[in-house]
C-alpha cells in the first residue's frame, strides 16, 4: 500500500502555543422509600368476624406482602455494609455523567480532583470523602460542553486535557487553572496527559501523536514521526491482522511508570506499543480470538489484557510480548473494563453492571465481590495512588473509595 504522509514528520517538529481560570451548586437527590403495608380499623373489625381458618390464611398473606417491602427499606444499608473494602461516595453532579479520571496533589494526598463528561470537574480536600464542583471560566465562555479526559499532577503543577481540544494548566495545586491555546493542526483528540517534571508534561492523542513540553506548554515537540494510520499503511504487509479495517484511532491508551505505552485499536483487532526513543509505534497481533477491550501494565512490569465478553489474560513474563495466558474469572458474562494494581500482589478489576473482582496473588486467581452487584452502573476505571488511596469510577456519577 502507498504510504500516508504524517501531519508531523520529524521528532524535531514542534508547534507554538501561548498561555491564558472558576461554581455549580450541588444537585441533591432523594431516594423515597415505598410505604409500608398496614391494616386500618375496618379491616380489623372484619378480621374479628372471620373464622379461624380464614384468619390464619389472611394473616399469612399480610405477612408475606409486608416482608418484601421491609427488605426494600433496608437494602441500601445492607449493600453499603457488604462493600467492606469500598464505600460509595455520592457526588453533587447530574445523573448521566461518566467519570473519566482522578488525581491527587502528591504533596497533599487529601487534595484531589475528579473529572468526566459534561464539563465535570470536582475537588476534594478530605481525601475523597466529600467533593464540591469547580468551574473553569475560560472554558465556560465558549458554547462547548467539554469532556475532560485526563488529569495529572507533579508537585503542585497539574494538567487537564479534554475534547473538543482543550488544555488546562495549574501552577498552584489547582487553586487557579489557565487555558493554554493549541494548534488547530493537532492530529486527533487529546486522550491522555502525564505530568513528568518541572513545567514538563507528555500528551497523547487518539491518533497516536505523542508530544512533550518542557516550558509549561508554550511549545510541544513530537516524540514520534508519524500517526498510527501512517505506520499501519507502511507496515501492513508485515502481517498485522485487521489492519486493513483500521479506523485511525485508539480505543484505550495506558502508560507504564517508566514511560512505555500500550494502546488498543478502536476495533479491538490488534494493539500497539511504544517505548521512549522509538520513532514509531510497534503493531502487534492479538493473541486471542475475541476482540480486545483494554490493555495495561501490571505492577511487575507485565501486561494484562481484557477481551470483550469478560475474558482476562496475563502476559507470560514481563515487558512487551504477544504471549498471553487466560485467567478464569467470574464476570457473569459482563465485560471487564479496567484493572488497577495496588501492589504487586493485590489488584482489582471492574466492569459492566457493577462487576468488581479482586486478586491477592498478582492475578493468578480472582474473587468476585458480589456486594458490588447491587451497584446499578458500569465501572469503567480503577485508580490507585500512593498508600491506600484507591477509587473506582463509573457512569451515572458512581464513585467508589477504597477503605483497605
Amino acid at each position: 500500500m502507498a504510504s500516508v504522509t504524517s501531519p508531523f514528520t520529524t521528532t524535531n517538529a514542534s508547534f507554538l502555543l501561548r498561555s491564558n481560570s472558576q461554581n455549580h451548586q450541588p444537585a441533591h437527590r432523594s431516594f423515597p422509600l415505598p410505604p409500608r403495608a398496614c391494616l386500618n380499623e375496618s379491616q380489623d373489625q372484619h378480621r374479628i368476624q372471620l373464622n379461624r381458618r380464614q384468619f390464619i390464611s389472611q394473616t399469612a398473606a399480610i405477612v408475606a406482602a409486608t416482608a418484601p417491602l421491609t427488605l426494600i427499606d433496608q437494602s441500601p444499608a445492607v449493600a453499603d455494609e457488604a462493600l467492606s473494602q469500598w464505600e460509595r461516595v455520592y457526588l453533587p453532579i447530574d445523573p448521566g455523567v461518566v467519570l473519566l479520571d482522578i488525581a491527587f496533589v502528591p504533596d497533599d494526598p487529601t487534595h484531589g480532583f475528579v473529572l468526566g463528561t459534561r464539563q465535570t470537574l470536582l475537588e476534594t480536600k478530605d481525601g475523597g470523602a466529600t467533593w464540591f464542583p469547580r468551574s473553569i471560566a475560560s472554558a465556560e465562555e465558549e458554547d462547548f460542553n467539554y469532556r475532560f479526559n485526563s488529569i495529572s499532577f507533579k508537585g503542585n503543577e497539574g494538567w487537564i486535557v479534554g475534547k473538543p481540544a482543550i488544555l488546562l494548566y495549574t501552577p498552584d495545586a489547582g487553586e487557579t487553572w489557565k487555558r493554554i491555546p493549541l494548534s488547530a493542526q493537532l492530529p486527533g483528540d487529546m486522550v491522555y496527559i502525564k505530568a513528568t517534571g518541572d513545567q514538563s508534561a507528555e500528551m497523547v492523542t487518539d491518533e497516536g501523536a505523542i508530544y512533550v513540553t518542557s516550558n509549561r506548554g508554550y511549545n510541544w515537540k513530537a516524540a514520534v514521526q508519524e500517526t498510527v494510520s501512517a505506520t499501519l499503511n507502511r507496515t501492513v504487509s508485515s502481517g498485522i491482522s485487521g489492519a486493513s479495517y483500521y479506523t485511525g484511532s485508539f480505543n484505550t491508551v495506558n502508560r507504564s511508570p517508566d514511560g512505555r505505552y500500550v494502546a488498543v485499536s478502536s476495533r479491538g483487532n490488534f494493539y500497539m506499543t511504544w517505548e521512549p526513543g522509538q520513532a514509531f509505534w510497534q503493531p502487534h497481533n492479538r493473541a486471542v480470538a475475541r476482540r480486545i477491550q483494554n490493555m495495561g501494565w501490571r505492577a511487575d512490569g507485565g501486561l494484562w489484557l481484557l477481551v470483550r465478553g469478560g475474558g482476562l489474560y496475563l502476559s507470560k513474563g514481563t515487558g512487551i510480548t504477544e504471549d498471553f495466558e487466560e485467567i478464569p474469572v467470574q464476570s457473569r458474562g459482563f465485560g471487564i473494563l479496567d484493572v488497577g494494581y495496588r501492589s504487586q500482589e493485590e489488584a482489582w478489576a471492574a466492569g459492566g453492571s457493577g462487576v468488581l473482582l479482586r486478586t491477592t496473588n498478582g492475578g493468578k486467581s480472582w474473587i468476585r465481590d458480589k456486594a458490588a452487584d447491587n451497584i446499578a452502573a458500569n465501572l469503567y476505571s480503577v485508580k490507585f495512588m500512593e498508600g491506600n488511596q484507591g477509587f473506582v469510577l463509573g457512569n451515572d456519577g458512581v464513585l467508589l473509595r477504597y477503605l483497605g
Side-chain angles (χ1 to χ4, degrees), residues 64-270:
T66 307
L69 291 174
T70 303
L71 290 176
I72 290 174
D73 287 348
Q74 295 177 348
S75 60
V78 172
D80 289 342
E81 290 174 0
L83 283 167
S84 57
Q85 299 196 59
W86 298 87
E87 70 171 0
R88 180 171 179 181
V89 180
Y90 290 90
L91 304 177
I93 55 179
D94 295 331
V97 169
V98 179
L99 302 180
L100 297 174
D101 202 6
I102 188 169
F104 282 75
V105 180
D107 296 335
D108 184 3
T110 65
H111 187 195
F113 296 83
V114 65
L115 43 77
T117 59
R118 302 185 188 178
Q119 211 157 299
T120 297
L121 179 62
L122 303 174
E123 183 176 8
T124 181
K125 293 190 175 181
D126 59 7
T130 58
W131 299 79
F132 55 91
R134 286 287 304 269
S135 61
I136 307 298
S138 59
E140 292 187 343
E141 292 172 357
E142 304 180 23
D143 292 331
F144 295 118
N145 194 356
Y146 287 101
R147 169 192 176 108
F148 293 138
N149 287 324
S150 180
I151 181 171
S152 180
F153 278 93
K154 184 77 172 182
N156 285 331
E157 291 184 292
W159 305 79
I160 292 176
V161 295
K163 176 184 178 181
I166 185 170
L167 174 64
L168 303 171
Y169 169 79
T170 177
D172 52 14
E175 293 302 317
T176 60
W177 291 92
K178 300 178 181 178
R179 176 86 176 266
I180 299 178
L182 290 167
S183 168
Q185 297 181 348
L186 183 72
D189 296 318
M190 293 177 294
V191 294
Y192 181 82
I193 194 162
K194 174 68 176 179
T196 56
D198 185 25
Q199 301 186 17
S200 301
E202 193 170 87
M203 179 174 62
V204 184
T205 76
D206 63 355
E207 291 189 12
I210 302 176
Y211 290 106
V212 294
T213 183
S214 57
N215 60 0
R216 199 179 289 191
Y218 282 93
N219 298 92
W220 295 83
K221 180 179 178 181
V224 294
Q225 295 186 11
E226 62 188 13
T227 63
V228 291
S229 294
T231 297
L232 288 168
N233 287 333
R234 180 172 51 79
T235 62
V236 69
S237 59
S238 64
I240 299 300
S241 300
S244 60
Y245 301 103
Y246 189 69
T247 60
S249 62
F250 288 144
N251 185 41
T252 64
V253 177
N254 279 297
R255 185 183 190 274
S256 71
D258 59 3
R260 294 175 294 167
Y261 283 94
V262 59
V264 177
S265 71
S266 58
R267 293 180 180 269
N269 291 347
F270 54 91

